[in-house]
Amino acid sequence: MKKIYLIGIGTGNPEHLTIQAINALKMVNVFFILEKESEKNEDLVKLRKEILQRYLPNEKYRVVVAKIPERKKGGRELEVYKERVSSWRRQKAEIISNLINNKMVDEETGAILIWGDPSLYDGHIEIMNYILKRDMAKFQYDVIPGITSMQVLTAKHKIPLNYIAESIQITTGRRLKESQPDDVKNVVVLLDNYLTYRDFSDTDLNIYWGAYLGTEKEILVSGRLNEVINEIIKTRNEAKKKYGWIMETYILRSEDNEDPRKS
Ligand SMILES: C[S@@+](CC[C@H](N)C(=O)[O-])C[C@H]1O[C@@H](n2cnc3c(N)ncnc32)[C@H](O)[C@@H]1O
């Protein structure tokens, strides 16, 4: 039986791989690198190559690079967005099942290196299940957890994800837009291209913001949202212009004026 590993590789720092991930890398005969057709973000590809060179110096593996189509943009309504993501994932399932059928022989092990952790806003687990359910390829698969952008964010800001008995909400910019300010107590936001925190600038919320987390380009800003919002917008716009891409994650949190970390 063929075997596939979905390996969480963290979000930019090769030292964030777990020992389990490194041991899994050593079992792999073929790595599938899936690049978007107009991949401008060389850093994402670079990190994957750096990980392979660093942890597998003997180079006894194959690398197969496959182009994946760009997801159709537009349609801010949730239903339209969901349908576009589903149809994009179906296309990816076709591509991945062809790779498994044609680029591996029986008993071989393949892997896909997943940014951050495979369970957080990443479609590969669902794609694997989609392929297996439809018998598009035959294989077993395992998921190796990775360090998420959210965890790097809290570590770098030296904050817990939750204070005592506090709940945490994890959401996207798209969903945060639907929230009322009073509902926002402690929310981690990913996938926000819309600078949705601007909608909350007249609240008492604090923000812990990070871009390029785990990479050499990492930028951190934190403070009372209405005091640091202009700095965040200016910093992110300049960085995006300079590097051609940006990935940002932030926490919006209702906190007392007193820094709870000092209590
Ligand atoms: C498709 S999701 C993937 C999340 C990933 N699986 C994880 O565990 O963090 C992409 C989003 O993750 C966040 N992200 C990923 N890498 C990041 C990084 N290095 N710095 C800041 N945010 C990052 C951003 O919010 C980005 O829009």
Coordinates of all heavy atoms in Angstrom, one line a residue, residues 136-181:
M136 N -10.3 7.5 -6.0 CA -9.5 8.2 -7.0 C -8.0 7.7 -7.0 O -7.3 7.8 -7.9 CB -9.6 9.7 -6.9 CG -11.0 10.2 -7.2 SD -11.2 11.9 -6.5 CE -10.2 12.9 -7.7
A137 N -7.6 7.2 -5.8 CA -6.3 6.6 -5.6 C -6.3 5.8 -4.4 O -7.2 6.0 -3.5 CB -5.2 7.7 -5.5
K138 N -5.4 4.8 -4.3 CA -5.4 3.9 -3.1 C -4.1 4.2 -2.3 O -3.0 4.1 -2.8 CB -5.4 2.5 -3.5 CG -6.7 2.0 -4.1 CD -6.8 0.5 -4.0 CE -8.1 0.0 -4.6 NZ -9.2 0.8 -4.6
F139 N -4.3 4.6 -1.0 CA -3.2 4.9 -0.1 C -3.7 5.0 1.3 O -4.9 5.1 1.5 CB -2.5 6.2 -0.6 CG -3.4 7.4 -0.5 CD1 -3.5 8.2 0.6 CD2 -4.3 7.7 -1.6 CE1 -4.3 9.3 0.7 CE2 -5.1 8.8 -1.5 CZ -5.1 9.6 -0.4
Q140 N -2.7 4.9 2.2 CA -3.1 5.3 3.6 C -2.4 6.6 3.9 O -1.4 6.9 3.2 CB -2.4 4.3 4.6 CG -3.0 2.9 4.5 CD -2.1 2.0 5.4 OE1 -1.0 2.3 5.7 NE2 -2.8 1.0 5.9
Y141 N -3.0 7.4 4.8 CA -2.3 8.7 5.1 C -2.3 9.0 6.6 O -3.1 8.5 7.3 CB -2.9 9.8 4.3 CG -4.1 10.5 4.8 CD1 -4.0 11.6 5.6 CD2 -5.4 9.9 4.6 CE1 -5.2 12.2 6.1 CE2 -6.5 10.5 5.1 CZ -6.4 11.7 5.8 OH -7.5 12.3 6.3
D142 N -1.2 9.7 6.9 CA -1.1 10.2 8.3 C -0.9 11.7 8.3 O -0.3 12.2 7.4 CB 0.1 9.5 9.0 CG -0.3 8.2 9.7 OD1 -1.5 8.0 10.0 OD2 0.6 7.3 9.8
V143 N -1.3 12.3 9.4 CA -1.1 13.7 9.6 C -0.1 14.0 10.7 O -0.2 13.5 11.8 CB -2.4 14.4 10.0 CG1 -2.3 15.9 10.2 CG2 -3.5 14.1 8.9
I144 N 0.9 14.8 10.4 CA 1.9 15.1 11.4 C 1.7 16.6 11.8 O 1.8 17.5 10.9 CB 3.4 15.0 10.8 CG1 3.6 13.6 10.1 CG2 4.4 15.2 11.9 CD1 3.7 12.4 11.0
P145 N 1.4 16.9 13.0 CA 1.1 18.3 13.4 C 2.3 19.2 13.3 O 3.4 18.8 13.3 CB 0.6 18.1 14.9 CG 1.2 16.9 15.4 CD 1.4 16.0 14.2
G146 N 1.9 20.5 13.1 CA 3.0 21.5 12.9 C 2.6 22.7 13.8 O 1.5 22.8 14.3
I147 N 3.6 23.6 13.9 CA 3.3 24.8 14.7 C 2.6 25.9 13.8 O 3.0 26.2 12.7 CB 4.7 25.4 15.2 CG1 5.2 24.4 16.2 CG2 4.5 26.8 15.8 CD1 6.5 24.8 16.9
T148 N 1.5 26.4 14.4 CA 0.7 27.3 13.6 C 1.2 28.7 13.7 O 1.9 29.1 14.6 CB -0.8 27.3 14.1 OG1 -0.8 27.9 15.4 CG2 -1.4 25.9 14.2
S149 N 0.7 29.6 12.8 CA 1.0 31.0 12.8 C 0.5 31.6 14.1 O 1.1 32.5 14.7 CB 0.3 31.7 11.7 OG -1.0 31.3 11.5
M150 N -0.6 31.1 14.6 CA -1.3 31.5 15.9 C -0.3 31.3 17.1 O -0.2 32.2 17.9 CB -2.5 30.7 16.0 CG -3.4 30.9 17.1 SD -4.9 30.0 16.8 CE -4.4 28.3 17.3
Q151 N 0.3 30.2 17.1 CA 1.2 29.8 18.2 C 2.5 30.7 18.1 O 3.0 31.1 19.2 CB 1.6 28.3 18.2 CG 0.4 27.5 18.5 CD 0.5 26.1 18.1 OE1 0.7 25.8 16.9 NE2 0.5 25.2 19.1
V152 N 3.0 30.9 16.9 CA 4.2 31.8 16.8 C 3.8 33.2 17.3 O 4.6 33.9 18.0 CB 4.7 31.8 15.4 CG1 6.0 32.7 15.3 CG2 5.0 30.4 14.9
L153 N 2.6 33.6 16.9 CA 2.1 35.0 17.3 C 2.1 35.1 18.8 O 2.7 36.1 19.3 CB 0.7 35.2 16.7 CG 0.1 36.6 17.0 CD1 0.8 37.7 16.2 CD2 -1.4 36.6 16.8
T154 N 1.5 34.2 19.5 CA 1.4 34.3 21.0 C 2.8 34.2 21.6 O 3.1 34.9 22.6 CB 0.5 33.3 21.6 OG1 0.8 32.0 21.1 CG2 -1.0 33.6 21.2
A155 N 3.7 33.3 21.1 CA 5.0 33.2 21.7 C 5.8 34.5 21.5 O 6.4 34.9 22.4 CB 5.7 32.0 21.0
K156 N 5.7 35.1 20.3 CA 6.5 36.3 20.1 C 6.0 37.5 20.9 O 6.8 38.3 21.3 CB 6.5 36.6 18.6 CG 7.4 35.6 17.8 CD 8.8 35.6 18.4 CE 9.7 34.7 17.7 NZ 10.4 35.2 16.6
H157 N 4.7 37.5 21.1 CA 4.1 38.6 21.9 C 4.2 38.3 23.4 O 3.8 39.1 24.2 CB 2.7 39.0 21.5 CG 2.6 39.8 20.3 ND1 3.0 41.1 20.2 CD2 2.1 39.5 19.0 CE1 2.8 41.6 19.0 NE2 2.3 40.6 18.2
K158 N 4.6 37.1 23.7 CA 4.7 36.6 25.1 C 3.3 36.8 25.8 O 3.2 37.4 26.9 CB 5.8 37.3 25.9 CG 7.1 37.1 25.3 CD 8.2 37.8 26.1 CE 9.5 37.7 25.4 NZ 10.5 38.7 25.9
I159 N 2.3 36.3 25.1 CA 0.9 36.3 25.7 C 0.4 34.9 25.7 O 0.7 34.1 24.8 CB 0.0 37.2 25.0 CG1 -0.1 36.9 23.5 CG2 0.3 38.7 25.3 CD1 -1.2 37.5 22.8
P160 N -0.4 34.5 26.7 CA -1.1 33.3 26.6 C -2.3 33.4 25.6 O -2.7 34.5 25.3 CB -1.7 33.0 28.0 CG -1.8 34.4 28.6 CD -0.8 35.3 27.9
L161 N -2.7 32.3 25.0 CA -3.8 32.3 24.1 C -5.1 32.7 24.8 O -6.0 33.3 24.3 CB -3.9 31.0 23.3 CG -4.6 30.9 22.0 CD1 -4.2 32.0 21.0 CD2 -4.3 29.5 21.4
N162 N -5.2 32.3 26.1 CA -6.3 32.6 26.9 C -5.9 32.9 28.3 O -5.0 32.3 28.8 CB -7.3 31.4 26.9 CG -6.7 30.2 27.5 OD1 -5.8 29.6 26.9 ND2 -7.1 29.8 28.7
Y163 N -6.5 33.9 28.9 CA -6.4 34.1 30.3 C -7.3 33.1 31.1 O -8.0 32.4 30.4 CB -6.6 35.6 30.7 CG -5.6 36.5 30.1 CD1 -6.0 37.5 29.1 CD2 -4.3 36.4 30.4 CE1 -5.1 38.3 28.5 CE2 -3.3 37.2 29.8 CZ -3.8 38.2 28.9 OH -2.8 39.0 28.2
I164 N -7.3 33.1 32.4 CA -8.0 32.1 33.2 C -9.4 32.0 32.8 O -10.2 33.0 32.7 CB -7.9 32.4 34.7 CG1 -6.4 32.4 35.2 CG2 -8.7 31.4 35.5 CD1 -6.2 32.9 36.6
A165 N -9.8 30.8 32.4 CA -11.2 30.4 32.1 C -11.8 31.2 30.9 O -13.0 31.2 30.7 CB -12.1 30.6 33.3
E166 N -10.9 31.8 30.1 CA -11.4 32.6 29.0 C -11.5 31.7 27.7 O -10.7 30.8 27.5 CB -10.3 33.7 28.7 CG -10.7 34.8 27.7 CD -9.5 35.7 27.5 OE1 -8.3 35.3 27.5 OE2 -9.8 36.9 27.2
S167 N -12.6 32.0 26.9 CA -12.7 31.3 25.7 C -11.9 31.9 24.6 O -11.6 33.1 24.7 CB -14.2 31.3 25.2 OG -15.0 30.8 26.2
I168 N -11.7 31.2 23.5 CA -10.9 31.7 22.4 C -11.8 31.5 21.2 O -12.2 30.3 21.0 CB -9.6 31.0 22.1 CG1 -8.8 30.8 23.4 CG2 -8.8 31.7 21.1 CD1 -8.0 29.6 23.4
Q169 N -11.9 32.5 20.3 CA -12.5 32.2 19.0 C -11.4 32.3 17.9 O -10.6 33.2 18.0 CB -13.6 33.3 18.8 CG -14.4 33.1 17.6 CD -15.3 34.3 17.3 OE1 -15.2 35.3 17.9 NE2 -16.1 34.2 16.2
I170 N -11.5 31.4 17.0 CA -10.5 31.5 15.9 C -11.4 31.7 14.6 O -12.3 30.9 14.4 CB -9.7 30.2 15.7 CG1 -9.0 29.9 17.0 CG2 -8.8 30.2 14.6 CD1 -8.3 28.5 17.1
T171 N -11.1 32.7 13.9 CA -11.9 33.0 12.7 C -11.1 33.7 11.6 O -9.9 33.8 11.7 CB -13.1 33.9 13.2 OG1 -14.1 33.9 12.2 CG2 -12.7 35.3 13.5
T172 N -11.9 34.0 10.6 CA -11.2 34.7 9.4 C -11.7 36.1 9.3 O -12.7 36.5 10.0 CB -11.7 34.0 8.1 OG1 -13.1 34.2 8.0 CG2 -11.5 32.5 8.1
G173 N -11.0 36.9 8.6 CA -11.4 38.3 8.4 C -12.8 38.4 7.9 O -13.6 39.2 8.3
R174 N -13.1 37.5 6.9 CA -14.5 37.5 6.3 C -15.6 37.3 7.4 O -16.6 38.0 7.4 CB -14.5 36.3 5.4 CG -15.8 36.2 4.5 CD -15.6 35.0 3.6 NE -14.5 35.2 2.6 CZ -14.8 35.8 1.5 NH1 -16.0 36.1 1.1 NH2 -13.8 35.9 0.6
R175 N -15.3 36.4 8.4 CA -16.3 36.1 9.4 C -16.3 37.2 10.5 O -17.3 37.5 11.1 CB -16.1 34.8 10.1 CG -16.2 33.6 9.2 CD -17.5 33.5 8.3 NE -18.7 33.4 9.0 CZ -19.5 32.3 9.0 NH1 -19.1 31.2 8.4 NH2 -20.6 32.3 9.6
L176 N -15.1 37.8 10.8 CA -15.0 38.8 11.8 C -15.9 40.0 11.4 O -16.5 40.7 12.2 CB -13.6 39.2 12.0 CG -13.3 40.3 13.0 CD1 -13.6 39.8 14.4 CD2 -11.9 40.9 13.0
K177 N -15.9 40.2 10.1 CA -16.7 41.4 9.6 C -18.2 41.3 10.0 O -18.8 42.3 10.2 CB -16.6 41.4 8.1 CG -16.7 42.8 7.5 CD -16.2 42.9 6.1 CE -16.2 44.3 5.6 NZ -15.7 45.3 6.6
E178 N -18.7 40.1 10.2 CA -20.1 39.9 10.6 C -20.3 40.1 12.1 O -21.4 40.1 12.6 CB -20.5 38.5 10.3 CG -20.5 38.2 8.8 CD -20.5 36.7 8.5 OE1 -20.6 35.9 9.4 OE2 -20.4 36.4 7.3
S179 N -19.2 40.3 12.9 CA -19.3 40.3 14.4 C -19.6 41.7 14.8 O -19.1 42.7 14.3 CB -18.0 39.9 15.0 OG -17.7 38.6 14.6
Q180 N -20.3 41.8 15.9 CA -20.6 43.1 16.6 C -19.4 43.3 17.6 O -18.9 42.3 18.2 CB -21.9 43.0 17.4 CG -23.1 42.8 16.5 CD -23.2 43.9 15.5 OE1 -23.1 45.1 15.8 NE2 -23.5 43.5 14.2
P181 N -19.0 44.5 17.8 CA -17.9 44.8 18.7 C -18.1 44.2 20.1 O -17.1 43.6 20.6 CB -17.9 46.3 18.8 CG -18.5 46.8 17.5 CD -19.5 45.8 17.1

